[in-house]
Amino acid sequence: MRQIWFMRHGEAAHNPLVVRGKQLGADTPDGAALLQQGRSILNPSLTTTGRDQATELHAILENQGFSCDTVVTTPLARAMETAQIALSGLADRFVVSPLGVETADPKLAGPQRGTDLRGLMEQHPFAAEWDLSELREGENWVRADPILVPSGRGGGVCQEGWINPVPAPERLGEYARWICGLEGRVVVVGHSGVFGRLLGEPLKNCELRPIQDFETAFQAHLEN
């Protein structure tokens, strides 16, 4: 029987800075500075809090006897780390796909960018056992120039990184169809902005949400 769960990554280095910056407001000096600081972190990893969130979720799932056939994650560090910590030993295979990354908005800068395949493997050696065939450099994963000047107040600056060249709204249909084509029990690990579009509302850090009738839930995207 096919079942799908969605899980947002745990807290990453940019999250508390961006949240506090938004609370203060981009129109304030302190708010703009925090937003720029958070948005200038290239491919942020999990914080200690984020790792604790993923570890706690793993313990809960293990105690429940949870298992799945496939874990899908984006190639961004925070999602891969969350998948590895929360679901290691509970899944038959892990698949990395850039279909679920958020749009590489210049204003949001660093957190929306990853690294090339070589850098990914150096940073995450555990992925040597994962399926990386969906990550195709030069096609759905391409190099983007550095951002040297902030794009608006609170915008970030960062080094060059790797992105999906297609804006997220334009690939939601392909993403939904691909997910629905996976067999068995599937956990999709990713990002709030994309999940918000797919599910109608964002998820909290390390929130795991089952989708009972995924074909109905995704209908609008499946038809696009």
Side-chain angles (χ1 to χ4, degrees), residues 122-193:
E122 290 175 351
Q123 187 176 2
H124 307 299
F126 56 77
E129 304 298 323
W130 291 12
D131 182 351
L132 303 175
S133 62
E134 296 292 330
L135 188 66
R136 299 183 294 275
E137 292 184 355
E139 296 181 25
N140 60 12
W141 199 235
V142 303
R143 188 193 310 273
D145 292 334
I147 298 175
L148 304 178
V149 179
S151 178
R153 192 173 181 86
V157 295
C158 67
Q159 303 169 13
E160 67 177 28
W162 288 70
I163 64 171
N164 189 318
V166 181
E170 296 178 19
R171 53 181 144 83
L172 284 182
E174 180 184 1
Y175 188 40
R177 286 188 293 274
W178 182 71
I179 292 170
C180 288
L182 298 172
E183 298 181 352
R185 295 161 60 89
V186 179
V187 177
V188 182
V189 183
H191 308 274
S192 181

Side-chain angles (χ1 to χ4, degrees), residues 180-221:
C180 288
L182 298 172
E183 298 181 352
R185 295 161 60 89
V186 179
V187 177
V188 182
V189 183
H191 308 274
S192 181
V194 173
F195 289 170
R197 293 186 179 95
L198 274 177
L199 307 178
E201 58 181 321
L203 303 184
K204 298 177 181 178
N205 288 127
C206 253
E207 179 182 352
L208 180 67
R209 181 178 299 181
I211 304 298
Q212 301 298 335
D213 189 357
F214 54 88
E215 290 182 346
T216 299
F218 294 168
Q219 190 61 43
H221 302 296

Side-chain angles (χ1 to χ4, degrees), residues 2-74:
R2 184 167 49 184
Q3 295 177 283
I4 297 178
W5 290 260
F6 283 82
M7 180 169 69
R8 186 187 175 196
H9 61 79
E11 182 189 83
H14 68 298
N15 287 142
L17 297 168
V18 171
V19 168
R20 182 56 179 159
K22 287 181 176 179
Q23 290 173 342
L24 294 174
D27 56 339
T28 67
D30 289 345
L34 285 169
L35 287 169
Q36 182 170 352
Q37 182 182 353
R39 291 168 174 168
S40 297
I41 302 175
L42 182 65
N43 194 23
S45 291
L46 295 179
T47 62
T48 299
T49 296
R51 298 183 70 84
D52 288 345
Q53 291 169 337
T55 300
E56 181 179 353
L57 179 58
H58 182 276
I60 292 172
L61 294 175
E62 191 172 44
N63 288 337
Q64 293 175 347
F66 180 89
S67 65
C68 63
D69 298 288
T70 302
V71 173
V72 174
T73 177
T74 74

